[in-house]
Amino acid sequence: MFAEERQSMIAEMVSDLSRVTVNELAARFDITPETVRRDLSVLELSRHLRRVHGGAVAIDRLSMSEPSLEERQTQRHDEKARIAAAALDMIPASTTGSIILDSGTTTELLADRLLDWTPANGGDQLLVITNALPIAYKLAANEAISLQILGGRVRGLTRAIVGTRTTQQLDAMRPDIAFVGANGVAADFGFSTPDSVEAAVKTAIVRSARRVVALADSSKLDQETLVRFAALSDIDALITDAPPSPKLAAALTAADVEVVIA
């Protein structure tokens, strides 16, 4: 087998499995560990993967890797839609209440379902607070919803409103339910996101709400990104689309987190 052909296969394996080890690749291709390391160096230079101790990981599994909002809107749409539908069931239909919608593609799908929200009884109200420009734009079309958008600066990559002003406003609030997104959910590290300023806002959201519901599709499970914004015990419920791994499931149970499979 030519080196180029082998390297192409290694790149495909890393993309499919997210992580490979030197020993696995040496056994798979019947080559020495030194040859594997040379292949990984070539692939890292061409940005097909990132070398780590003992092997390599996919580029999109790096702690600061963060696709744009447009990229994420095309990823795992069906799974996120099911999660959003399950989240909608957690919003009381016949009472006056308040919720926070964090920025993110899954919370935006939840906002899509709120476009048809109407009060079950006359006088019932729903206040939606958000730091996401796309969510605010959509929900402004529903006159039955009271909408409050948080102030601060806009982070272009995610269209999220962030900064000290944002967190200060959240510190003065006590909404009924917060729906928060995450880039990683891990047994030991908790809930995380790649960007520190968005992490600060997420932490403030978690701290502010009476009940916190995390929305994370199964590709986020057992993943760690750069900044932890909440421990598992800070979250009341996790809605995802597939059962967590045994290790994560045990940690969620120990932290008294309700897991909802959508």
Side-chain angles (χ1 to χ4, degrees):
M1 180 183 298
F2 293 112
E4 292 81 1
E5 181 182 0
R6 183 178 64 244
Q7 290 163 10
S8 177
M9 295 176 67
I10 291 173
E12 185 174 348
M13 286 179 64
V14 174
S15 177
D16 291 342
L17 301 175
S18 297
R19 181 185 181 98
V20 295
T21 69
V22 169
N23 290 338
E24 289 171 344
L25 294 173
R28 166 67 177 79
F29 294 102
D30 192 24
I31 55 178
T32 66
E34 290 74 18
T35 301
V36 172
R37 294 188 183 96
R38 286 196 296 270
D39 285 345
L40 295 181
S41 294
V42 170
L43 290 168
E44 184 175 43
L45 286 173
S46 59
R47 296 189 57 79
H48 283 92
L49 52 77
R50 177 64 60 86
R51 292 188 64 184
V52 296
H53 179 72
V57 296
I59 288 289
D60 63 0
R61 292 303 187 194
L62 298 178
S63 65
M64 292 186 68
S65 175
E66 188 175 12
S68 69
L69 184 64
E70 290 78 11
E71 290 174 303
R72 287 185 288 128
Q73 285 173 332
T74 64
Q75 297 171 350
R76 300 182 67 84
H77 183 273
D78 292 346
E79 292 87 345
K80 293 175 182 178
R82 297 203 306 270
I83 292 169
L88 182 66
D89 290 339
M90 293 189 173
I91 300 175
S94 59
T95 187
T96 296
S98 57
I99 66 171
I100 292 182
L101 296 185
D102 179 31
S103 65
T105 52
T106 310
T107 49
E108 187 174 343
L109 288 172
L110 174 55
D112 288 339
R113 282 153 179 75
L114 287 171
L115 289 174
D116 296 325
W117 184 91
T118 55
N121 303 301
D124 288 344
Q125 296 180 9
L126 178 64
L127 170 65
V128 179
I129 305 160
T130 187
N131 70 319
L133 288 180
I135 289 175
Y137 177 79
K138 289 183 175 183
L139 291 183
N142 186 346
E143 296 182 357
I145 288 177
S146 298
L147 177 65
Q148 180 174 339
I149 186 167
L150 298 169
R153 68 177 181 85
V154 177
R155 184 169 180 251
L157 185 67
T158 59
R159 315 294 196 273
I161 299 171
V162 297
T164 302
R165 183 181 174 193
T166 316
T167 57
Q168 287 175 342
Q169 290 173 84
L170 287 163
D171 287 342
M173 294 179 177
R174 187 70 70 210
D176 298 310
I177 310 175
F179 294 97
V180 62
N183 296 74
V185 185
D188 299 323
F189 196 57
F191 292 82
S192 60
T193 195
D195 183 75
S196 60
V197 292
E198 289 214 31
V201 174
K202 290 177 183 290
T203 297
I205 289 173
V206 169
R207 188 171 56 233
S208 72
R210 301 177 190 276
R211 177 171 169 79
V212 183
V213 180
L215 311 181
D217 69 74
S218 54
S219 71
K220 314 293 176 56
L221 305 184
D222 293 307
Q223 301 300 324
E224 298 175 357
T225 55
L226 184 63
V227 186
R228 177 173 56 204
F229 66 84
L232 296 184
S233 58
D234 294 326
I235 305 298
D236 297 291
L238 167 66
I239 306 179
T240 187
D241 61 276
S245 67
K247 179 180 179 180
L248 180 56
L252 290 164
T253 298
D256 197 26
V257 179
E258 176 189 4
V259 178
V260 177
I261 308 300

